[in-house]
Every structure is written in structure tokens, then in C-alpha cells.
Amino acid sequence: LFLGGTPVALANPDLRWETTASFNIGLELGAFEDKLTAEIDYYIKESSGILLRVPIPDYVGADPPFVNAATVQNSGVEMLLTWRDKVGPVNYSLSVNGATVDNEVLGLGQGQEAIEGGNVGSGRLATLSVIGQPIGSFYGFKTDGVIQTIEELGSVPTREGQQVGDLKFVDTNQDGIIDATDRVFLGSPIPDLTFGSTVSANAYGFDMSIDFYGQIGNEIYNQKRTDRFNTYNFERVYLESWTGPGTSNSEPRLTNGGGNYEVSDRFLHSGDFLRLRNITLGYTLPTTVGDKLRLQKLRVYASGTNLAIWDSYPGYSPEVISGNPLNSGIDSGVYPAPRVVNLGLQVNF
């Protein structure tokens, strides 16, 4: 019998708490006898010593320790507008809210100039955090179509081993060579704007509410496209792959690996979406009927959650969340929000 042990995760004896300093200034308004109200806030929030698991070499064989890795500032404007009024027997309200986010790395700890993150397989890292950029920004190659002919293969800069039907990478530093120095910032997983809206109304015992929310201005890295591809298991988009000159200028030839799976804007998609979060319809019996039944209130209702979403993302869901800012916006197969329909009865005795 042989016994052994191996470290699962590394510890950091120098770890300290994150610290946060914030400033905000707000304005509250009311008009038309307070039928229209507004709340507007400008905020700045600076977090220092942010706790991150910074990647370490795979040969260590353990999860990296948490370190106080960065100082990050978020700033922007938050706003809530509400209109309440009555038309005949109908009471109604409409509210709209939104928040802008400007995220910027102000400093990096541990004497680092940059922190890579976002492991998307085969040792490839998809994000880079540097001072002046949003934390966890996507970093990789820009593409410019697909190499169509042998003549074109010999006339454009390529990576070693590339063939006809492979992606054309942009020579961003114009040195005639495609290598790691041609990688650039491709976008951020942090939305520029998050927003929502709620409409509600009631009359004659009936009540209704509708709730929307969404976001604009972020990107998603579709790692699922690289993880799930093989000869027997591939996504529909691969049916559009290059098979000869002129057949495709966006999807390269089918391969199980190689340069076409380098981190690039090929796998980046807009994360913009608008979701119908909830609809609720209800009816409350008149108090005269309730009194006869010795009930204070009897209400029946139906509600639906996540009934519809409008987006252009080809994955399961554009709502990709990660607890580590270095991995935000990387879709490794996120499970979509379930659609739920409820029927209910509310009884107060």
C-alpha cells in the first residue's frame, strides 16, 4: 500500500483584505405634482488590492493562490425615471433605469506590468489586464477573412504551418510576420450600459406588470465553439466552413486544432441583449366577496419569467458571469436562464 499527497491549491500568507473608496453625488427631482420623478447619481468607486487567482505555470499542478493583484476604478452615471398617473379608473406607472460603467485598471500589484488570464484551452489565454484598460480585456489576433488560394497564401503574412483555407491574421505592427506581437485588445466583457424598464397598471381588481432589462457594449468569447468541436460533435456554424475558393471568407477549413483556434476576434460576439424578465397578470376579488368568504384578500395570478430574449449571440445565453474578473465574458458552456410559468393563489385570512 502506497500513500501520497499533492497540493490542490496554493496559499498566500501575505493576503490582505480588499479596500474600497467611493464618491457619489446625486440629484432628485419631481415635476407635474410628482407624477414625474427622477433620481440621477454620478459615482466613482476605486477598489484596491482586488483578490484574483493569477495564472501560474501548469506544471505546478495546483490551483493558483489568491493575490492582491490590482487597483480598479469604476465610474459612471446611474439614473431612474418614473412616471405615475391615472386615466379614469386605471392607475399606471412607467419606470426606466440605466447605469453606465467606465472600468479602468489603475495599478497592478506584485510588481507586474500585465496580468494574463482567461484560459480557453490548450494553454491559450484570452484576456490581458494592463493599466489604462478595463480589467480582463480580450486580447488576441484580428482576422481579415480566409486565405482562398495558394497565390494568396504566398502573398500575405502567415503563421507557421498555415495552409489555404486558414484564417488571415492582421499584421498589426506591419513587420511582415504574424506572431504574438501582433495581438491587440479586442474588446471588453464589461457592458457600457445596463438598463431596465417596468410597466405596471391596475383597475377593477385586475393588475398587470411587465419587466424588461438588458445591456449594451460588451463582448463575449465563445470558448464553447473550440471546446466542443471534433469530427463527431460540432456546432452548426461549422457547416459554413471553407471548402474551396470563394466558399467562405469567415469560417476557415475544418481542423481539429492549429492556428485557426488561436485567440482571435473569430470567437468574439456582441453581448448586447434585451430580455423580457417577467410578466404578471392578476385579479383580486372585491372586498364584498371576500367578506362573505371571511377572507381579507383573495388574488389569483399568472406569471412568466424569462419568456423572451432579443440578442445576436449564437451561444446558449449572452449572460455570461464569472467570479474572477480575469475570466469574465468567457462562455465555456453557460447554462441558459430557464423559462418559468407560474399559476398562483394568494389568500389572506
Side-chain angles (χ1 to χ4, degrees), residues 267-332:
F267 301 109
L268 276 188
H269 305 272
S270 169
D272 299 354
F273 73 87
L274 172 65
R275 182 185 290 278
L276 175 56
R277 178 159 49 187
N278 182 267
I279 294 180
T280 299
L281 300 172
Y283 176 70
T284 302
L285 287 177
T287 54
T288 54
V289 177
D291 291 341
K292 292 179 180 180
L293 298 175
R294 297 184 179 181
L295 299 175
Q296 292 183 1
K297 182 178 182 180
L298 178 62
R299 177 175 176 263
V300 293
Y301 66 91
S303 68
T305 304
N306 298 322
L307 296 180
I309 186 170
W310 295 270
D311 69 312
S312 61
Y313 180 56
Y316 297 138
S317 172
E319 295 182 86
V320 180
I321 301 173
S322 170
N324 186 341
L326 302 182
N327 302 333
S328 287
I330 296 178
D331 179 9
S332 57

Side-chain angles (χ1 to χ4, degrees), residues 14-270:
D14 299 321
L15 205 62
R16 57 182 173 80
W17 290 105
E18 295 181 8
T19 59
T20 299
S22 62
F23 165 84
N24 72 292
I25 182 170
L27 179 65
E28 295 185 5
L29 300 172
F32 307 108
E33 298 179 343
D34 279 344
K35 292 180 181 178
L36 175 65
T37 58
E39 299 177 17
I40 304 172
D41 284 280
Y42 173 75
Y43 70 91
I44 300 175
K45 180 180 179 181
E46 182 177 310
S47 298
S48 302
I50 291 180
L51 296 171
L52 298 174
R53 287 189 184 273
V54 178
I56 58 177
D58 290 341
Y59 61 74
V60 175
D63 291 337
F66 281 102
V67 297
N68 298 103
T71 299
V72 176
Q73 176 179 281
N74 287 303
S75 62
V77 176
E78 297 177 336
M79 180 182 65
L80 172 64
L81 298 176
T82 302
W83 175 268
R84 296 183 181 88
D85 202 359
K86 182 176 182 179
V87 178
V90 180
N91 295 285
Y92 71 93
S93 69
L94 169 65
S95 66
V96 178
N97 65 80
T100 64
V101 181
D102 181 15
N103 179 277
E104 181 182 354
V105 176
L106 300 182
L108 297 174
Q110 312 296 314
Q112 299 187 76
E113 296 182 358
I115 299 176
E116 291 186 282
N119 191 331
V120 292
S122 302
R124 298 184 176 106
L125 300 176
T127 71
L128 186 68
S129 300
V130 300
I131 294 174
Q133 291 287 338
I135 191 169
S137 293
F138 294 118
Y139 190 74
F141 294 99
K142 294 184 68 174
T143 60
D144 186 26
V146 174
I147 301 171
Q148 299 292 328
T149 63
I150 190 67
E151 291 78 16
E152 186 177 14
L153 178 65
S155 65
V156 298
T158 58
R159 291 178 62 83
E160 183 179 354
Q162 281 196 279
Q163 302 178 27
V164 174
D166 288 340
L167 289 172
K168 283 192 295 182
F169 295 113
V170 177
D171 182 15
T172 56
N173 61 8
Q174 298 182 347
D175 63 356
I177 302 171
I178 301 297
D179 56 22
T181 61
D182 291 302
R183 294 180 298 168
V184 294
F185 288 102
L186 301 173
S188 170
I190 302 172
D192 297 324
L193 172 67
T194 57
F195 59 90
S197 178
T198 301
V199 179
S200 62
N202 64 82
Y204 300 114
F206 291 95
D207 62 88
M208 175 272 296
S209 67
I210 304 175
D211 183 21
F212 294 90
Y213 81 104
Q215 64 186 29
I216 294 174
N218 65 302
E219 280 75 41
I220 299 171
Y221 191 90
N222 193 353
Q223 180 190 352
K224 176 172 56 62
R225 283 188 58 189
T226 64
D227 280 351
R228 296 180 64 242
F229 176 73
N230 58 48
T231 307
Y232 307 103
N233 182 18
F234 59 89
E235 297 196 359
R236 184 179 297 274
V237 67
Y238 287 107
L239 296 175
E240 304 170 6
S241 297
W242 184 94
T243 57
T247 54
S248 175
N249 198 37
S250 57
E251 283 299 314
R253 65 190 178 94
L254 286 177
T255 60
N256 282 328
N260 293 329
Y261 292 90
E262 291 288 349
V263 176
S264 73
D265 56 12
R266 176 192 178 193
F267 301 109
L268 276 188
H269 305 272
S270 169

